[in-house]
Amino acid sequence: AQKVTQAQTEISVVEKEDVTLDCVYETRDTTYYLFWYKQPPSGELVFLIRRNSFDEQNEISGRYSWNFQKSTSSFNFTITASQVVDSAVYFCALRGGGFKTIFGAGTRLFVKA
Amino acid sequence: EPEVTQTPSHQVTQMGQEVILRCVPISNHLYFYWYRQILGQKVEFLVSFYNNEISEKSEIFDDQFSVERPDGSNFTLKIRSTKLEDSAMYFCASRGETSGPRNEQFFGPGTRLTVL
């Protein structure tokens, strides 16, 4: 069975703080893909990153960085110097050998000015 | 940049009525999906569609649901007899090649369905 766990339901930070959103996944597939999506208050799903199971290199994109560790089945997401516009729900997701993508429950991030 | 579009953005219907949600996937994509998000909850997979047939579906996708790609561009989700618990945001998504750097799903903006 596949599962994605985002243990943090809500996080509240003050602008310019760094924040890490945790994601732990379970899968029996040897090839799989991990994703992060952002859902702002307007409701759409915005793709942030995709990682495949063979690529454990960490990635940085501007203020965003991702730490993929197969040994702990984690794919954590860090926002550096958070801004109010980062306030949203963030979903971690997993797609294994099949067609469907399994989403975690999401972490709601509040960034206060 | 190409994007997935969905219509309508908001649909209100009476319980027991049929609704059709419409999606136009990205034009050269091969895989099509419907997901649902009940307010405040996580995004749930409903169905995937490839090569003109359902490739995978979840337990949620029962006989009340059907999907169709009636022409080369549209992808529709039909709910035959809506129930109150069908009220949710419905997202369409499409995906291109099976592997490679661009195999993520691109989501449409969603259709909010309200069943009264």
Side-chain angles (χ1 to χ4, degrees):
Chain A
Q2 296 185 340
K3 190 177 174 183
V4 176
T5 301
Q6 294 180 256
Q8 303 149 310
T9 309
E10 284 186 6
I11 300 176
S12 185
V13 299
V14 177
E15 214 172 14
K16 296 184 186 167
E17 282 184 13
D18 298 347
V19 59
T20 295
L21 310 181
D22 297 333
C23 174
V24 173
Y25 63 92
E26 292 175 34
T27 181
R28 291 196 186 119
D29 294 317
T30 52
T31 300
Y32 52 90
Y33 298 89
L34 295 162
F35 306 85
W36 276 95
Y37 288 89
K38 175 182 180 180
Q39 188 174 45
S42 49
E44 72 271 24
L45 286 167
V46 179
F47 166 79
L48 295 177
I49 190 171
R50 175 186 68 95
R51 253 300 169 258
N52 73 49
S53 50
F54 298 109
D55 182 2
E56 282 193 77
Q57 259 193 330
N58 291 329
E59 182 159 335
I60 298 174
S61 175
R63 295 184 297 107
Y64 295 168
S65 62
W66 291 270
N67 184 354
F68 175 30
Q69 295 203 345
K70 276 178 88 167
S71 58
T72 55
S73 297
S74 65
F75 186 43
N76 296 338
F77 171 32
T78 297
I79 302 174
T80 304
S82 58
Q83 300 175 0
V84 172
V85 293
D86 295 327
S87 296
V89 180
Y90 290 86
F91 290 98
C92 180
L94 164 72
R95 186 172 78 241
F99 293 89
K100 65 183 177 186
T101 297
I102 302 296
F103 284 76
T107 297
R108 184 177 295 277
L109 175 65
F110 294 99
V111 181
K112 294 182 274 195
Chain B
E1 183 163 329
E3 56 184 20
V4 177
T5 58
Q6 290 184 244
T7 53
S9 56
H10 191 188
Q11 171 106 37
V12 181
T13 189
Q14 296 290 325
M15 194 168 56
Q17 295 294 304
E18 175 184 286
V19 294
I20 297 177
L21 309 183
R22 291 184 165 80
C23 169
V24 179
I26 294 173
S27 64
N28 60 349
H29 279 188
L30 303 173
Y31 301 83
F32 313 109
Y33 305 82
W34 282 101
Y35 290 82
R36 163 182 101 170
Q37 185 182 31
I38 294 171
L39 187 64
Q41 298 187 21
K42 68 177 172 183
V43 178
E44 300 174 289
F45 169 79
L46 289 178
V47 65
S48 60
F49 193 84
Y50 170 70
N51 204 24
N52 286 318
E53 61 182 22
I54 291 174
S55 46
E56 193 169 358
K57 61 182 181 178
S58 72
E59 314 79 53
I60 303 168
F61 194 87
D62 61 21
D63 292 343
Q64 291 298 313
F65 292 90
S66 62
V67 289
E68 201 175 34
R69 190 155 158 81
D71 52 42
S73 58
N74 292 286
F75 180 50
T76 61
L77 174 70
K78 184 195 289 187
I79 308 175
R80 260 179 271 284
S81 177
T82 50
K83 303 188 278 279
L84 294 176
E85 53 265 37
D86 293 326
S87 295
M89 181 77 96
Y90 288 81
F91 290 102
C92 173
S94 69
R95 179 164 69 93
E97 58 202 72
T98 55
S99 62
R102 299 291 293 173
N103 80 339
E104 68 267 18
Q105 292 177 359
F106 290 86
F107 283 84
T111 292
R112 180 164 297 286
L113 176 65
T114 301
V115 182
L116 303 176

